[in-house]
Amino acid sequence: RVRPNELSSRGIIHESCYIQWFEEARLRYGQTQGIDFVAADPNGYVMQIAEFETQYFSPIRVEDMIIVHCWIEALEDQS
């Protein structure tokens, strides 16, 4: 749910809030998969957002409910 502090001066959600919502969705997705992205992995593996895409359909306003979809598209060894 959108909070009042996320509003721009135009009364809609400021664009800088989107990446914060993506990060929250990533952490919640990890929890559903049994992955703790916050804890340091002893093997040195780290998962981070490498790319994100936003489609704007209409302005988001205070108290609106938003839905963020996230998924893991590929796992690659970067060593």
Side-chain angles (χ1 to χ4, degrees):
R1 195 167 298 269
V2 174
R3 297 172 294 250
N5 64 313
E6 296 170 320
L7 289 175
S8 72
S9 60
R10 298 179 300 162
I12 60 174
I13 299 309
H14 193 273
E15 294 83 5
S16 64
C17 296
Y18 289 95
I19 190 64
Q20 296 170 26
W21 295 339
F22 297 154
E23 179 65 7
E24 183 176 339
R26 179 184 78 93
L27 295 174
R28 288 185 184 201
Y29 175 77
Q31 290 172 345
T32 68
Q33 303 301 306
I35 303 168
D36 186 357
F37 291 129
V38 178
D41 188 297
N43 297 314
Y45 298 109
V46 176
M47 291 195 64
Q48 58 191 335
I49 296 174
E51 180 178 329
F52 68 90
E53 179 179 326
T54 305
Q55 295 179 341
Y56 300 94
F57 295 107
S58 63
I60 301 173
R61 301 184 189 286
V62 72
E63 290 297 317
D64 282 354
M65 181 68 73
I66 59 167
I67 298 172
V68 177
H69 297 276
C70 66
W71 60 91
I72 297 173
E73 191 165 305
L75 293 175
E76 299 175 4
D77 183 0
Q78 298 295 319
S79 59

